[in-house]
Amino acid sequence: MRSVRGWSSRRGREDRGWLRGAPPPWWVRALPVLLLVAVSLAARVTSHARDLGFLLGAIPPLAVLSYGPWGTAVLGGLVVLALNLPATELNRPGNTDLLTIVFVSLLSVFVSFVRSRRDAQLNTEHAIGEAVQRAVLPPLPEHVGPVGCAAFYRAAQDGTLVGGDFFDVRDGPYGVRAVMGDVQGHGLAAVTTVVSLLGAFREAALDQPELERVAARMDRRLSVDSAGVRHAELFATALLLEFSGDARTVRVVACGHPPPVLLHEGQAREVTVPPCPPLGIGLVGVDPPKEVTVTLAPRDRLLVASDGFWEARNASDAFYPLPERLTELAGTDPAELPDAVWADLTRLAYDVRDDASMLVLTPAPPLHSPLP
């Protein structure tokens, strides 16, 4: 996992990231050179290896995977040179075979040039994607007011950095407010809705004295966005929290979202929150959601997760038991808890088919009283 001031992102795809423009592993870069050296040495050591010269024809195509045009051209030239040096005793191919290898080398140089241009474009697009991620979901600071923050985010759609989940924690005139939400769908198609909802939350968190009105503002935003779209079914679930000034109590409003889990004295339990319809169907403004107030002890941790965690299934089609597993992980440092839950979920072979995000919010501990 990669953690940057409370932000985490999955690295499970990095092992094959070199196929999409990232630097290749060292063994891929070394393979053409090792093959050239191995065949040349084998031909010098034993006469039975002198017929292995055809293997050198694989070196230019292998070089395309990890070298640029110039590197591929150098390796292709070394192959032709090795086949024509009497010292290597590999100079057995006929003119047709040699011309074939020369043609393959030149073709590999061209393919390497095209790949280099493509990789440069992919790197640019990846940098743009990271910039979008930082703009839409900037890394959370370690503390927002009196609340410690740790977060995890993993998009379900391969190759994307932002999906349908969103979260934020903001300090304002009415205390520290946090939101965790999940819009309809996932991937790039959901990013526009995520941007709208985060904008509505950040504005309402500063303007609205009541947490229910913050939810109503987000609900109106979705209703307005879908008003001009035919057959629109735009909705989102959301969980909103508001901490008191000393972070000893938290108010919770749930709009179709799974409830938070409270870790108290080594035990995890779901917080009971009155259900409310999701955002975007116009009912939040008509029938405001009911909030609950939860008292927090200094060492408590409040965990909020999206459906990616709650609905992960194993081979027996059983859901991941998040509260039970949190009890087992209760001794984990709050900053490392999101990564620990993800590692536990993957270790137990649960399949995650949706965007997965998590917030761990911790009231500031008193001085000289470290967290367990």
Side-chain angles (χ1 to χ4, degrees), residues 331-356:
T332 307
D333 184 88
E336 300 174 358
L337 188 56
D339 287 343
V341 174
W342 179 259
D344 180 72
L345 185 149
T346 54
R347 179 180 60 84
L348 297 176
Y350 280 83
D351 184 27
V352 180
R353 302 179 182 178
D354 200 354
D355 301 318

Side-chain angles (χ1 to χ4, degrees), residues 69-286:
W70 288 107
T72 303
V74 169
L75 285 169
L78 290 176
V79 168
V80 175
L81 181 63
L83 289 172
N84 286 278
L85 281 178
T88 63
E89 300 188 21
L90 292 170
N91 53 339
R92 290 190 176 187
N95 290 335
T96 302
D97 294 336
L98 187 59
L99 288 175
T100 300
I101 292 177
V102 171
F103 174 76
V104 170
S105 299
L106 293 175
L107 183 61
S108 298
V109 171
F110 173 74
V111 173
S112 179
F113 172 77
V114 174
R115 183 192 62 81
S116 298
R117 296 289 297 272
R118 185 209 61 181
D119 288 351
Q121 181 179 3
L122 287 176
N123 289 335
T124 300
E125 292 175 353
H126 185 76
I128 294 173
E130 288 188 335
V132 171
Q133 174 178 285
R134 287 191 294 269
V136 176
L137 293 172
L140 292 178
E142 294 179 357
H143 289 87
V144 177
V147 180
C149 305
F152 178 95
Y153 193 99
R154 177 231 182 220
Q157 184 173 334
D158 195 8
T160 62
L161 298 174
V162 179
D165 287 357
F166 63 93
F167 55 77
D168 199 5
V169 183
R170 296 277 165 156
D171 197 0
Y174 306 106
V176 175
R177 285 174 167 175
V179 64
M180 166 74 74
D182 183 3
V183 308
Q184 176 195 19
H186 55 262
L188 296 177
V191 174
T192 301
T193 307
V194 167
V195 172
S196 294
L197 284 174
L198 280 175
F201 167 77
R202 289 162 181 167
E203 180 180 355
L206 297 175
D207 298 339
Q208 298 297 325
E210 298 178 358
L211 196 59
E212 297 89 341
R213 298 307 303 167
V214 177
R217 181 76 67 87
M218 297 172 68
D219 177 70
R220 187 182 68 178
R221 177 73 268 168
L222 275 187
S223 299
V224 170
D225 289 346
S226 61
V229 180
R230 188 177 181 182
H231 305 305
E233 295 180 357
L234 192 61
F235 64 90
T237 65
L239 187 74
L240 293 98
L241 305 100
E242 178 184 291
F243 290 85
S244 60
D246 58 2
R248 292 297 178 259
T249 61
V250 59
R251 300 164 64 198
V252 183
V253 168
C255 298
H257 198 83
V261 178
L262 178 64
L263 261 174
H264 175 72
E265 295 183 350
Q267 298 295 318
R269 66 173 180 86
E270 294 184 33
V271 176
T272 302
V273 185
C276 175
L279 304 175
I281 58 179
L283 297 179
V284 173
V286 177

